[in-house]
Amino acid sequence: MLTAEALKKGNDPVRVLVTEPHQKMNVEKFAKDHGRKTTSTETEDGFAVVIE
C-alpha cells in the first residue's frame, strides 16, 4: 500500500526496501503491472528495488 501511494505522488523513482525474495518479486510484479520498470540490488538486510 505504501508503494502504491508513493507512486501516485509523481513520476520520481521510488525506492522500496524488502527483506524476503518473494517480497522483491511482488514489488517487481506490481511495478510491471503499472507500466513501470525496476532495478533490484541485494543489500545486507535484503533487497532494494527502485521503481522508475
Side-chain angles (χ1 to χ4, degrees):
M1 294 214 160
L2 294 175
T3 301
E5 288 178 30
L7 290 174
K8 287 180 186 177
K9 291 183 179 178
N11 290 327
D12 292 334
V14 174
R15 185 171 186 237
V16 181
L17 303 174
V18 297
T19 56
E20 301 295 327
H22 70 275
Q23 294 169 328
K24 177 179 90 70
M25 290 187 300
N26 288 342
V27 171
E28 291 170 336
K29 182 179 181 328
F30 178 84
K32 182 180 178 182
D33 290 348
H34 288 84
R36 303 286 193 110
K37 294 182 181 183
T38 61
T39 305
S40 301
T41 55
E42 192 166 355
T43 66
E44 65 183 51
D45 296 329
F47 301 92
V49 182
V50 177
I51 304 172
E52 301 284 336

